[in-house]
């Protein structure tokens, strides 16, 4: 097995080494003594020094078969030099190109990767020139040494330019057109030694002051948009040489356009969720890629079909006890895993650790996250969380409020099983647009089953079924004529290809039970409750049977 | 935060330290230099020595706030002595009692914990006495220094007694009545400092030569038996003092009786699956318990409702390359996580590591496990795996073979979605017992949805629905009279409490699509396929529309 030298021993190196132990890869870290990575390894050959120092880098190379990195701001000249003796993954060329954001974008642009428009802008004249082309606001960016948003400045008018240049210091600058994105997303891409690319799921990153606060896995966008992002991310990584994992950050615009933001040639904050949520973590993926161990599509998948994750960065605040308090509280939250990085001092904005919350849905993750922050005033992430309500899993809809007396029993049954639902009126004939929108959006809003009740020419259940991949349960509601047989036939006799799960006339109890049974196929807890419900029905009848037998039918 | 001293630095200590890093607990290990646990920690204060040496134990105590153990064969006298100065969890009394299996069973028996009958049997006379009481076969066991089955001998007749005594050496002996169990199971129980008990899921252990080969999580027994085992395990652990995690091994007999086998006062091989499969691992649970960090019921749950795990021990064989080969192959298996323990030499039977396979069902775990061992001659575990076939998720049943022409379309649709199913004939009226057994066993066999087709007085779907908590889809099959309306009404008009998801007459296509949609509620991959199916239907009609418009309806 090859020995891997790692430039940098922060939290990324630390988590890389944890993976290395499990798969039997020996690692040697170059960084300061007692850095987070060295704390978790008993190997004595680590090097105390700096990944920016050429001699230190060469000393590391002498001990290793492969040299890789957990940070992009390394000495690339030294890397180039040692590449004649050891494997360097990813390559010095890749790191050098990515260190300079302008060069990075030029390379991506040359390969037609979709990007916000950008221009070199070394001085105020060129910035003004760019402003003419892009308009305001525009984003003034530092080409080098920019990470976690340090090095970005949104300029709203010409008068702000001097201030922006001052803030960015003496670093070389370029300008990007401001992109009014609706969401920031990211994809981790693994490039193997033989040049294959594998994409992890598309995740959503919630940033504040350009620092990642939360990661939703998967992103709350449609599956087809998620796939589009994975494809774009893989295309972007193809522009660079060298094996390893790459973090690819992107913007999603209102119209569904996806633009590349930037790339990190290493494990990335937006990929921490993979430790608990995916078959193989980004850290193990990186190691496997750089030493040439097997890796395939299966390694990038979510651990199970119902795995959802919310990753919370544990950032220092002005309250020195904040991190400790949240870390302790995380131990009481179901499905939360705490990762502390072994850093001594919690200063404002410092990444002290992270917490990954796993649950069956992102709604459940959010509810647990709200528990985590309960009572906190601080915690920038707090604001971004939606209300601590359980997201509905079942949608109950009916054609008219006159159906409510029949349909409300479904709601009562769902409440008795503690299943969150929503209930509303959607008429196929009187509100066709509303029906269309309801049915089309239901799956992406997290609804898992729709219960639709209708009477007469009862089109609602079938029309909704035609518009959603979700299972639809139909309740024929009895009208004033024909005894409900009209509704029953209208609901049940659907053409091939579009099923409606039809229950008995007026029997919304059974519709709700059926919906519960459907959820029960993936929830053993619910299956157990359903069995208990059946047992209760049975014993109720048995009590009556005993009574009728002991009293005699005349007395009964 | 308290510093924890760990007696023993094998793989259990190693995985404990990995958990400790994440939650910020400092650990000091007492064991040989470069033992597995010390390899994964950069702390310099570890002690080279032996957990059996009183002086070494005292030296460790001087550096810690809490002393705990990863192995039960420690110096309990020394532990008792240091308990006056530091916290010892679990207690010396617990370790001493558990070290002697006879004393362990006496204590459990005194608390009415269900056990196989046992008798002290220091010599051949007492063994013969026990044989009179228990009959043959009986199990001769060593009271002390027995683990991984070393120290057990099944005696089939009086003539084998001398041989058995020889094999067990000079250790003190006792006799247990032979229990014809159908399954071995285990539960990890956490005892907190304030005396609360929390049970992890019940798992099934597959043993060969008394060494654990495989662990199925959860065990393949009914939910109520699983709960019974958790309750028994908690009762057993109540007999011992001191915080920490306890591994409780049990037998399940044919009639559902559960008997306690033995207890380990530490993390346990049967709990390794918790690292990937549960909210919180057994190692983190142990640390939290002994230092008094929060722990609750939620920490013991499976990570998601669809998480299933198969843990495979990586044991050395006579082939020195075996472990390496399996370890490498595990990297190609989706959902498999490799854990190597950092041991140099792979000798026969040595625990070199383990692999945990996570999937949506135990059937999927087994299929992946079969892939892992593909082509291997060795690997004792191989034999225990069921055939490498996908377990059916859908059961298609019909009242008569005359229904097959209608029902076979359902099978074809399921095949097109790659959903494993079973298809058979079950008649409510002609094979009522078969119907009863089919419906009762379906859920525990892994079936998630039943599709039942029937004609005329079509009772099959409703009767099956009355016997299972699973969702049942009913297909009314059209008979020679009444156009199928008889079947439709018979299937759809179920009483409150027992729903059947009824589809159109003869429309088994829709029944299969509905079943797919039901599985799709917990499987995004399937939901995507269903959306694609709908898109295809749409485009097929659009093509026809274009043709009719361009050709004109006369030509069409």
């Amino acid at each position: 097995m090859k020995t891997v030298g790692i430039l940098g021993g922060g939290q990324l190196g630390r988590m890389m080494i944890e993976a290395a132990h499990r798969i039997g890869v020996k690692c040697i870290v170059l960084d300061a003594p007692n850095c987070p990575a060295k704390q978790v390894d008993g190997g004595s050959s680590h090097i105390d020094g700096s990944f920016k120092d050429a001699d230190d880098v060469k000393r590391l190379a002498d001990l290793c078969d492969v040299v890789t990195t957990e940070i992009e701001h390394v000495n690339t000249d030294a890397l180039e030099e040692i590449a004649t003796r050891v494997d360097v993954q990813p390559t010095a060329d890749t790191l050098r190109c990515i260190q300079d954001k302008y060069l990075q974008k030029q390379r991506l642009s040359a390969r037609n990767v979709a990007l916000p428009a950008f221009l070199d802008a070394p001085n105020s004249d060129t910035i003004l020139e760019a402003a003419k082309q892009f308009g305001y606001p525009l984003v003034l960016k530092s080409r080098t040494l920019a990470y976690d948003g340090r090095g970005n400045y949104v300029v709203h008018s010409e008068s702000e330019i001097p201030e922006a240049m001052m803030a960015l210091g003496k670093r070389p600058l370029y300008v990007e057109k401001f992109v009014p994105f609706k969401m920031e997303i990211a994809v981790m891409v693994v490039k193997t030694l033989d040049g294959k690319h594998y994409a992890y799921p598309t995740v959503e990153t919630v940033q504040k002051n350009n620092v990642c606060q939360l990661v939703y896995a998967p992103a709350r966008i449609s599956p087809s948009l998620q796939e589009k992002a994975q494809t774009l991310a893989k295309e972007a990584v193809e522009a660079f040489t060298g094996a390893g994992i790459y973090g690819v950050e992107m913007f999603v615009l209102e119209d569904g356009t996806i633009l590349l933001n930037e790339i990190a040639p290493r494990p990335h904050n937006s990929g921490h969720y993979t430790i608990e949520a995916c078959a193989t973590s980004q850290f193990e993926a990186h190691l496997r890629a750089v030493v040439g161990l097997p890796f395939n599509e299966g390694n990038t998948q979510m651990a199970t079909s119902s795995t959802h994750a919310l990753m919370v960065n544990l950032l220092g605040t002005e309250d020195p006890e904040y991190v400790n308090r949240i870390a302790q509280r995380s131990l009481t939250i179901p499905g939360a895993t705490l990762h502390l990085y072994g850093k001594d001092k919690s200063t404002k904005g410092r990444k002290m650790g992270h917490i990954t919350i796993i649950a069956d849905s992102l709604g459940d993750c959010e509810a647990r996250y709200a528990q985590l922050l309960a009572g906190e005033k601080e915690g920038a992430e707090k604001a971004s969380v939606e209300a601590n309500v359980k997201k509905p899993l079942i949608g109950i809809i009916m054609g008219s409020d006159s159906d409510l007396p029949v349909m409300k029993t479904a709601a009562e049954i769902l409440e008795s099983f503690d299943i969150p639902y929503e209930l509303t009126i959607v008429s196929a004939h009187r509100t066709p647009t509303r029906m269309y929108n309801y049915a089309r959006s239901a799956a992406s809003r997290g609804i898992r089953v729709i219960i639709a009740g209708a009477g007469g020419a009862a089109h609602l259940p079938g029309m909704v079924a035609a518009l959603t991949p979700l299972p639809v349960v139909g309740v024929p509601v009895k009208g004033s004529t024909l005894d409900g047989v009209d509704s029953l036939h209208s609901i049940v006799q659907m053409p091939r290809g579009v099923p409606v799960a039809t229950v008995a006339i007026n029997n919304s109890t059974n519709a709700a039970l059926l919906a519960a049974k459907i959820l029960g196929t993936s929830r053993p807890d619910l299956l157990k409750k359903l069995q208990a419900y059946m047992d209760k029905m049975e014993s109720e009848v048995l009590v009556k049977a005993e009574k009728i037998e002991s009293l005699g039918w005349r007395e009964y």
Side-chain angles (χ1 to χ4, degrees), chain A residues 188-205:
Chain A
M188 300 305 306
V189 175
V190 181
K191 189 201 284 280
T192 58
L193 276 181
D194 54 357
K196 294 211 177 76
H197 295 83
Y198 301 97
Y200 276 90
T202 302
V203 302
E204 174 182 348
T205 61

Side-chain angles (χ1 to χ4, degrees), chain A residues 173-225:
Chain A
L173 302 175
Y174 76 107
V175 167
E176 256 183 43
K177 187 172 174 176
F178 180 81
V179 173
F181 56 82
K182 69 163 185 180
M183 187 186 283
E184 291 187 75
I185 58 174
V187 170
M188 300 305 306
V189 175
V190 181
K191 189 201 284 280
T192 58
L193 276 181
D194 54 357
K196 294 211 177 76
H197 295 83
Y198 301 97
Y200 276 90
T202 302
V203 302
E204 174 182 348
T205 61
V206 179
Q207 320 263 340
K208 194 183 167 190
N209 301 329
N210 291 302
V211 176
C212 177
Q213 310 282 334
L214 292 176
V215 172
Y216 284 86
R220 293 171 295 177
I221 51 177
S222 72
S224 59
L225 258 190

Side-chain angles (χ1 to χ4, degrees), chain A residues 414-431:
Chain A
L414 293 179
E415 282 176 14
S416 75
F417 281 97
D418 207 15
I419 299 172
Y421 66 92
E422 59 182 26
L423 183 151
T424 189
I425 295 166
V426 178
S427 167
H429 302 135
R430 280 158 297 192
T431 62

Side-chain angles (χ1 to χ4, degrees), chain A residues 489-556:
Chain A
H489 290 180
S490 191
I491 292 174
V492 77
Q493 286 295 103
M494 288 294 292
R496 269 171 230 291
V498 189
V500 170
T502 310
V503 295
I505 295 165
N506 273 8
N507 201 329
S508 77
T509 298
N510 278 2
L513 287 172
L514 190 57
K517 286 183 168 209
I518 290 172
L519 295 184
T521 57
S522 61
R523 282 182 47 188
D525 61 317
L526 207 49
L527 207 64
K528 220 185 277 179
K529 279 190 196 171
L530 283 158
Q531 185 63 59
Y533 180 91
M534 291 170 71
D535 294 347
K536 189 164 158 265
M537 278 200 301
E538 187 169 17
S539 62
E540 278 168 9
V541 176
L542 292 179
V543 165
K544 286 184 189 171
E546 203 188 303
K547 195 172 164 197
I548 213 167
E549 286 171 25
S550 63
L551 281 180
W553 63 268
R554 279 175 221 277
E555 288 292 318
Y556 187 83

Side-chain angles (χ1 to χ4, degrees), chain A residues 30-101:
Chain A
L30 164 57
D31 208 337
N34 201 37
C35 60
K38 291 182 188 174
Q39 291 171 23
V40 302
D41 189 72
S44 52
S45 47
H46 298 300
I47 296 178
D48 293 341
S50 165
F51 44 78
K52 294 187 176 173
D53 182 286
D55 289 337
D56 289 344
V57 172
K58 286 178 215 163
R59 271 207 291 154
L60 178 69
D62 290 340
L63 303 171
C64 306
D65 305 298
V66 188
V67 170
T68 190
T69 174
E70 57 118 50
I71 184 165
E72 55 269 47
H73 304 294
V74 296
N75 187 326
T76 50
D77 291 339
L79 270 189
E80 198 152 48
E81 197 184 322
I82 62 169
T84 56
R85 306 184 266 138
V86 293
D87 221 6
V88 177
Q89 303 290 351
T91 62
D93 172 69
T94 288
L95 290 165
R96 194 174 283 142
C97 178
I98 280 176
Q99 281 176 354
D100 183 329
K101 286 196 185 179

Side-chain angles (χ1 to χ4, degrees), chain A residues 400-473:
Chain A
S400 155
D401 60 354
S402 66
D403 300 326
L404 185 59
V406 168
M407 297 303 292
K408 69 178 183 188
T409 320
E412 288 161 3
I413 295 279
L414 293 179
E415 282 176 14
S416 75
F417 281 97
D418 207 15
I419 299 172
Y421 66 92
E422 59 182 26
L423 183 151
T424 189
I425 295 166
V426 178
S427 167
H429 302 135
R430 280 158 297 192
T431 62
T433 308
R434 175 172 165 79
M435 178 199 69
Y436 182 90
N437 293 336
Y438 185 91
R440 279 292 195 217
S441 68
S444 63
R445 287 190 303 116
I447 296 290
R448 306 255 186 107
V449 183
I450 295 172
I451 298 174
H459 294 176
L460 181 67
M463 283 309 302
V464 168
L467 290 162
T468 176
L470 299 178
V472 175
V473 179

